[in-house]
């Protein structure tokens, strides 16, 4: 984790992140019509709706935005992106916000979303692929120990049907992934 | 024609019956699917939300491998892999700085990629390369009388909507019509199944699944056909926990579209992994086997 970010440095970083999204600066053109919020299948569960997130970002409330549950409730269905009349790629913006939050350790109170991502990424870095059973076991043990046992019955039934692999497939190209990761500044 | 397949993680595990039936059905259509050697995870929604450079580079690695095998197309049967691999390709056109970093990273792993491998969804390959007429001509067991809700999910047509209409994808409808099944009108076809929220926010994801399944039943569907392994798991595996809320006495079978095509093409059930469905398909499909 980097040194504690200030609101200003965070905003600057977001601008840079948004620059990496094709036409990311379109957020400036938002007319607050609310098409994104009305289209989003999970907005009813969000602290702040997508429209409110854009308004808050433009007003400089990045820190607060990163502490909403909104970012982690985006399931990447891209319907907001498909419908935005001004061409804002809101789903990709959600990804940029997830990355910023993870980088600076700024989480909403419910950290299950970011915990799952961390386990997923660790699994892929370690074995080249997502071994679902291993990844989910670690996730539930660490992030949701009370929610885990409820899945054991389903896991057993899936295993019986040949739909849960307990052993990882061998993956011979780990060195290649490690070289790619090193080149991009990763540490795996 | 033989195609190079990028299976992706779920097609080998939680939706292994989808992978199995995809290969068997393509074979029955006279086309082969051979697996990309040494493929790695596409990064999925999790990796791109953590580290964009590495997410794109890991996906691009698979495209580079495909290119080194001389393939012009890389086929996937997973909506999530489809988007991630296409995102990697898109950076070759739209993001020169990211592309430069990714190319350098690939180079450090002894790989080279020029952005030219076309990423395609299996359903679209069947529709556009093989075609409804050719499929119809090979149908040996008509699915006439079977009512199917064709569920496309989100990422088969979003954000990349150049192949299918973003909100009204029809590729599955057309393919299933070739089997003479009745494809019911299904307004929820491109709604979100909740994706990974089924793990992190089950309450939210179950709400989405409930509305999709309720719509399918209200439209008279005997089963739901899917084109994505994650949609398959979300719609199929959690029905027990919502059945009482839906007021259902019997569950709704959810099948990869390749299983239905396979049945119509007279592929043996064991090659389609029909016994691997979590919701018993016997009651609705037995008469076609």
């Amino acid at each position: 984790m980097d040194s504690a970010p200030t609101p200003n440095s965070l905003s600057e970083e977001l601008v840079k992140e948004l620059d990496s999204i094709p036409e990311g600066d379109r957020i400036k053109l938002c007319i607050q019509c609310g098409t994104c919020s009305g289209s989003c299948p999970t907005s009813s569960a969000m602290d702040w709706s997508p429209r409110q997130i854009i308004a808050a970002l433009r007003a400089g409330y990045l820190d607060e935005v990163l502490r909403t549950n909104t970012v982690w409730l985006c399931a990447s269905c891209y319907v907001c992106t498909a419908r935005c009349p001004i061409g804002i790629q809101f789903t990709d913006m959600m990804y940029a916000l997830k990355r910023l939050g993870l980088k600076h350790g700024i989480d909403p109170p419910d950290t299950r979303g970011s915990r799952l991502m961390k386990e997923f990424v660790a699994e892929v870095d370690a074995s080249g692929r997502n071994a679902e059973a291993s990844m989910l076991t670690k996730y539930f043990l660490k992030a949701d120990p009370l929610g885990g046992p409820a899945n054991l019955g389903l896991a057993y039934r899936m295993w019986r049907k040949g739909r849960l692999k307990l052993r990882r497939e061998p993956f011979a190209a780990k060195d290649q992934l490690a070289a790619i990761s090193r080149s991009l500044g990763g540490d795996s | 024609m033989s195609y190079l397949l990028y299976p992706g993680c779920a097609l080998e595990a939680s939706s292994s019956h989808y992978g199995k039936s995809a290969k068997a059905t393509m074979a029955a259509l006279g086309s082969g699917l051979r697996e990309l050697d040494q493929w790695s995870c596409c990064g999925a929604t999790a990796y791109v939300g953590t580290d964009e450079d590495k997410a794109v580079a890991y996906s691009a690695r698979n495209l580079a491998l495909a290119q080194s095998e001389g393939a012009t197309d890389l086929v996937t049967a997973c909506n999530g892999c489809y988007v991630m691999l296409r995102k990697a390709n898109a950076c070759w056109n739209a993001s020169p700085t990211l592309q430069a970093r990714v190319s350098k990273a690939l180079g450090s792993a002894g790989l080279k990629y020029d952005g030219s491998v076309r990423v395609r969804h299996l359903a679209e390959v069947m529709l556009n390369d093989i075609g409804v007429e050719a499929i119809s001509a090979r149908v040996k067991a008509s699915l006439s009388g079977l009512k199917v809700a064709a569920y496309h999910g989100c990422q088969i047509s979003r954000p990349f909507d150049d192949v299918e209409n973003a909100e009204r994808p029809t590729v599955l409808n057309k393919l299933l019509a070739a089997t003479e099944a009745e494809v019911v009108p299904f307004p929820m076809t491109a709604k979100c199944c909740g994706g990974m929220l089924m793990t992190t926010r089950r309450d939210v994801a179950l709400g989405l699944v409930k509305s999709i399944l309720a719509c399918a039943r209200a439209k008279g569907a005997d089963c739901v056909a899917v084109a994505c392994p994650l949609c398959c798991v979300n719609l199929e595996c959690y029905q027990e926990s919502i059945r009482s809320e839906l007021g259902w006495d019997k569950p709704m079978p959810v099948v990869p579209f390749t299983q239905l095509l396979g049945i119509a093409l007279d592929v043996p059930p064991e090659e389609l992994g029909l016994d691997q469905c979590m919701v018993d398909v016997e009651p609705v499909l037995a008469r076609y086997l």
Side-chain angles (χ1 to χ4, degrees):
Chain A
M1 210 173 301
D2 298 356
S3 57
T6 64
N8 276 342
S9 68
L10 263 183
S11 288
E12 276 167 31
E13 246 190 284
L14 179 70
V15 170
K16 239 188 268 170
E17 280 276 352
L18 293 181
D19 274 346
S20 78
I21 303 169
E23 307 198 59
D25 61 349
R26 279 184 177 261
I27 178 180
K28 294 174 197 154
L29 304 175
C30 173
I31 53 170
Q32 290 285 295
C33 68
T35 300
C36 47
S37 303
S39 307
C40 176
T42 62
S43 63
S44 61
M46 289 172 173
D47 296 336
W48 290 359
S49 71
R51 180 189 63 80
Q52 288 173 313
I53 292 285
I54 294 178
L57 288 175
R58 294 201 301 194
Y61 290 91
L62 179 59
D63 192 60
E64 287 82 349
V65 165
L66 293 177
R67 290 180 204 283
T68 64
N69 69 9
T70 303
V71 178
W72 298 98
L73 273 167
C74 172
S76 311
C77 81
Y78 291 94
V79 74
C80 50
T81 301
R83 289 183 183 174
C84 176
I86 214 87
I88 295 171
Q89 306 201 13
F90 192 78
T91 311
D92 288 334
M93 227 169 82
M94 291 288 101
Y95 283 131
L97 291 169
K98 285 179 174 115
R99 292 194 291 266
L100 271 181
L102 284 173
K103 185 175 169 194
H104 295 293
I106 303 175
D107 267 324
D110 180 356
T111 58
R112 284 176 293 178
S114 59
R115 299 293 282 270
L116 181 65
M117 287 212 170
K118 284 175 195 164
E119 293 305 329
F120 188 104
V121 163
E123 190 64 45
V124 173
D125 280 341
S127 61
R129 297 176 188 171
N130 169 26
E132 293 164 329
S134 154
M135 189 271 289
L136 289 171
T137 303
K138 286 180 200 153
Y139 162 79
F140 277 113
L141 283 175
K142 290 183 194 170
D144 194 5
L146 295 177
N151 295 289
L152 289 175
L154 175 61
Y156 175 70
R157 281 182 284 122
M158 289 184 77
W159 175 73
R160 290 277 307 256
K161 295 276 188 187
R163 291 177 61 179
L164 185 84
K165 269 197 194 163
L166 297 177
R167 285 189 22 209
R168 286 191 185 126
E169 290 288 311
F171 178 69
K174 280 184 197 169
D175 292 351
Q176 253 184 10
L177 283 192
I180 289 171
S181 180
R182 268 195 310 276
S183 166
L184 293 168
D187 49 9
S188 77
Chain B
M1 176 172 171
S2 175
Y3 291 87
L4 194 58
L5 173 73
Y6 174 81
C9 305
L11 223 63
E12 302 240 306
S14 56
S15 286
S16 54
H17 61 329
Y18 185 13
K20 206 188 265 186
S21 57
K23 287 175 189 160
T25 301
M26 278 294 270
L29 289 170
S31 292
L33 277 179
R34 79 196 148 85
E35 248 179 55
L36 178 68
D37 193 31
Q38 293 302 326
W39 61 271
S40 50
C41 174
C42 71
T45 53
Y47 222 117
V48 73
T50 307
D51 185 329
E52 188 181 31
D53 286 14
K54 272 168 75 177
V56 169
Y58 282 5
S59 264
R61 174 182 172 271
N62 295 300
L63 295 166
L65 292 177
Q67 183 173 301
S68 72
E69 288 197 29
T72 53
D73 294 9
L74 185 61
V75 177
T76 170
C78 169
N79 292 3
C81 300
Y82 177 66
V83 165
M84 272 317 299
L85 293 170
R86 287 200 63 174
K87 276 195 169 190
N89 253 348
C91 98
W92 255 259
N93 300 318
S95 313
T97 51
L98 178 57
Q99 185 249 307
R101 287 199 297 276
V102 170
S103 289
K104 187 167 162 255
L106 291 178
S108 73
L111 295 165
K112 224 179 141 171
Y113 183 55
D114 65 6
S116 68
V117 173
R118 197 154 61 123
V119 175
R120 305 184 63 191
H121 195 290
L122 178 66
E124 179 263 315
V125 169
M126 286 185 179
L127 180 69
N128 294 323
D129 290 12
I130 297 171
V132 169
E133 266 179 41
I135 297 173
S136 296
R138 286 177 188 259
V139 165
K140 297 193 183 90
S142 159
L143 299 186
S144 173
L146 182 71
K147 293 184 175 180
V148 185
Y151 177 71
H152 288 83
C154 338
Q155 299 193 352
I156 197 168
S157 60
R158 296 191 299 270
F160 300 104
D161 59 359
D162 52 337
V163 182
E164 286 290 312
N165 181 284
E167 298 200 55
R168 285 278 179 271
T170 55
V171 55
L172 291 184
N173 301 44
K174 291 170 185 158
L175 290 174
L176 292 167
T179 69
E180 296 174 10
E182 182 187 336
V183 184
V184 301
F186 190 41
M188 301 292 275
T189 191
K191 296 284 185 216
C192 175
C193 74
M196 287 176 88
L197 293 178
M198 191 57 89
T199 302
T200 58
R201 279 299 300 269
R202 187 154 301 171
D203 55 328
V204 175
L206 283 179
L208 301 176
V209 166
K210 238 188 302 184
S211 58
I212 293 163
L213 291 175
C215 176
R217 181 140 291 174
K219 295 292 178 186
D222 299 316
C223 63
V224 176
V226 294
C228 169
L230 193 52
C231 299
C232 189
V233 169
N234 279 4
L235 292 186
E236 187 188 18
C237 296
Y238 301 90
Q239 289 191 30
E240 271 183 22
S241 52
I242 49 176
R243 249 167 76 189
S244 61
E245 289 171 64
L246 286 165
W248 289 3
D249 54 351
K250 52 180 199 267
M252 172 70 81
V254 177
V255 292
F257 76 98
T258 44
Q259 286 188 329
L260 293 182
L261 285 182
I263 293 170
L265 296 167
D266 223 10
V267 178
E270 58 276 13
E271 286 181 34
L272 297 172
L274 283 175
D275 56 343
Q276 289 183 274
C277 292
M278 300 295 293
V279 174
D280 188 11
V281 295
E282 276 284 314
V284 297
L285 295 180
R287 62 189 163 127
Y288 301 103
L289 297 175

